[in-house]
Amino acid sequence: MERIYLDNAATTPLDKDVMAEMVNVMSNYYGNPSSIHAQGREVRTLIEKARKTVSGLLNATPAEIFFTSGGTEADNTAIRCGIAAFNIKHAITTKIEHHAVEHTLESLLKQGVIDKLSFVDIDEKGNVDYNHLEELLKNNERSFVSLMQANNELGTLTDIERVGDLCETYNAIYHCDTVQTMGHYVHDVRKLKAHFIVCAAHKLHGPKGVGFLFVNHNVKISPMIFGGAQERNMRGGTENVYGIVGLAKALEIAYAEMEQHQKHIQELKSYMKDKLVAEIPGIAFNGETDPENSLYTVLNVSFPEMDMADMLLFNLDINGVSASGGSACSSGSNIGSHVLTGIHADPNRPSVRFSFSKYNTKAELDFVVEKVKEIVDKNIVV
C-alpha cells in the first residue's frame, strides 16, 4: 500500500537536493571546525558559508545567526536568555503557543525568574486581540512578548509586524516562534522589529536536529549552553556540520521556489476544504482558513460527533493516510490538545490536522477524502 503523507507540519520529507549536499559533506569533509589545521578550516568555511546564505535570505547579518539543535533549543535560548539579559519580570504570551514556549515560560514563573505571566486574549479561531496586547504592554513594567507567527495546529496567522510595532512603542522585547512559517514566507528581519526569530530545518524539507536563532544586533544575551567557544561563544558543542549545510540548502531552495509552492499548496488546501464540505455534512474547521489569515500548509478539520472518535487517526493510518490531531480537553478526563481547548473547541468533536507540502497532489486528496467519508459514515452519531 502506498502511503499518503499529510503531516508536514510535524516534519517534512528531506529534499533530494538537500540530501545530495549533505552526502557530499559527509563523504568528503570530516575535520572538526574548531581545529586550526587544514581539515578543520575547510569545514569551518562550510559553516560560515551556510551562515552567510541564511543571513542573506533574511536580510540579516551573519553575526545575527546562531545555529542550534532545532526550534525548541532556539525558543528556549531566546526566552531564557532574553529575559535574563534585561532582568524582565513580566512575560506575555497566549494559551495556544507551542509547548517549547508555553512550558519554558511556566518554568521561569515557577522558578521565580519572572513574577508575572500574562495571556493575551484570543478569539475562537485563534486570532490575537491586539488591543488587549497593548493594554498588557502599557499597564505593566517592561515586558517580554512571545507570540508565534502561525499556530502549528490551527494555521491561524498573527500579524507579526503589528506586534513588532506595539513592542517597539512600549519598549518590549519580542520573540516570535517562526518554526511553521520559515521558508514558507519571506522574513525580512529589518522590517519585522522582532528581537528573536527561530527555525527548525525539518519543517522546510531540511534535516532534523538542526535549526537557528536570529538575535537582533541590538540585543546582547549570554549563552544557554556552555562548553567550547563555538557559535562565537554563544553555544558550546561541536557544530552539526552536515545539518547546518542541509539547513542552508533547504532554506535557499524554499526561497527560490516559494512563489510556485505557495500557489500549489494553497490550491491543495482549498481543494480539500471544498471536497470535505461537499462530502461530509456537519464538517467544520478549527482556526482561520482563508488565505489572508491562515498558513497555507495547514487545514484543521473538526468532524461531527461520532462513535469511536478516538480511533479516527488510527483508522486513517491503517488506510494509508498519515495525519495528526485530537480533541479539546474535557476537564478531568483526558489531556487532549491545549490549542483546541484554548479556543474553546467542542471536546466531543474529533479533529484532524492535515498539513501539505510541495510533494502532495490532488489525486492523493481525492483518496483521502474518500477514506475519511467512509470512516465518518460508519461511525457518525445520528
Side-chain angles (χ1 to χ4, degrees), residues 89 133 145 253 262:
K89 298 299 180 182
L133 173 60
V145 176
I253 293 170
Q262 282 183 346

Side-chain angles (χ1 to χ4, degrees), residues 88-103:
I88 292 174
K89 298 299 180 182
H90 176 236
I92 300 172
T93 188
T94 72
K95 291 187 176 181
I96 61 170
E97 299 298 308
H98 191 277
H99 281 152
V101 169
E102 179 191 22
H103 290 173

Side-chain angles (χ1 to χ4, degrees), residues 9-175:
T11 196
T12 54
L14 191 65
D15 187 288
K16 60 180 176 57
D17 290 332
V18 173
M19 183 182 294
E21 192 94 349
M22 293 175 67
V23 168
N24 174 54
V25 177
M26 290 177 188
S27 302
N28 299 297
Y29 301 89
Y30 55 86
N32 188 314
S34 296
S35 299
I36 62 173
H37 49 60
Q39 288 97 331
R41 293 196 306 273
E42 64 183 3
V43 174
R44 168 58 53 193
T45 299
L46 294 175
I47 293 175
E48 296 314 318
K49 181 183 177 183
R51 196 187 315 276
K52 187 174 181 180
T53 296
V54 171
S55 63
L57 293 170
L58 271 58
N59 195 23
T61 65
E64 294 174 302
I65 303 299
F66 298 91
F67 293 116
T68 68
S69 65
T72 294
E73 183 194 326
D75 281 336
N76 268 261
T77 303
I79 294 168
R80 292 179 182 277
C81 301
I83 285 173
F86 295 94
N87 194 29
I88 292 174
K89 298 299 180 182
H90 176 236
I92 300 172
T93 188
T94 72
K95 291 187 176 181
I96 61 170
E97 299 298 308
H98 191 277
H99 281 152
V101 169
E102 179 191 22
H103 290 173
T104 303
L105 289 170
E106 288 173 349
S107 173
L108 293 177
L109 181 65
K110 186 176 181 179
Q111 294 167 15
V113 176
I114 56 175
D115 299 329
K116 185 178 181 182
L117 179 57
S118 298
F119 295 98
V120 185
D121 290 342
I122 54 172
D123 66 15
E124 71 283 351
K125 292 185 178 293
N127 292 294
V128 168
D129 183 334
Y130 300 100
N131 292 328
H132 185 225
L133 173 60
E134 185 168 14
E135 287 177 24
L136 292 172
L137 285 167
K138 70 182 179 183
N139 291 327
N140 288 277
E141 58 186 318
R142 190 179 193 185
S143 302
F144 185 96
V145 176
S146 185
L147 297 175
M148 67 202 324
Q149 183 174 13
N151 186 270
N152 54 299
E153 291 191 35
L154 305 174
T156 299
L157 289 169
T158 294
D159 186 343
I160 59 175
E161 290 193 25
R162 184 173 178 181
V163 174
D165 288 339
L166 285 171
C167 289
E168 183 179 57
T169 298
Y170 294 99
N171 194 32
I173 300 297
Y174 177 31
H175 159 249

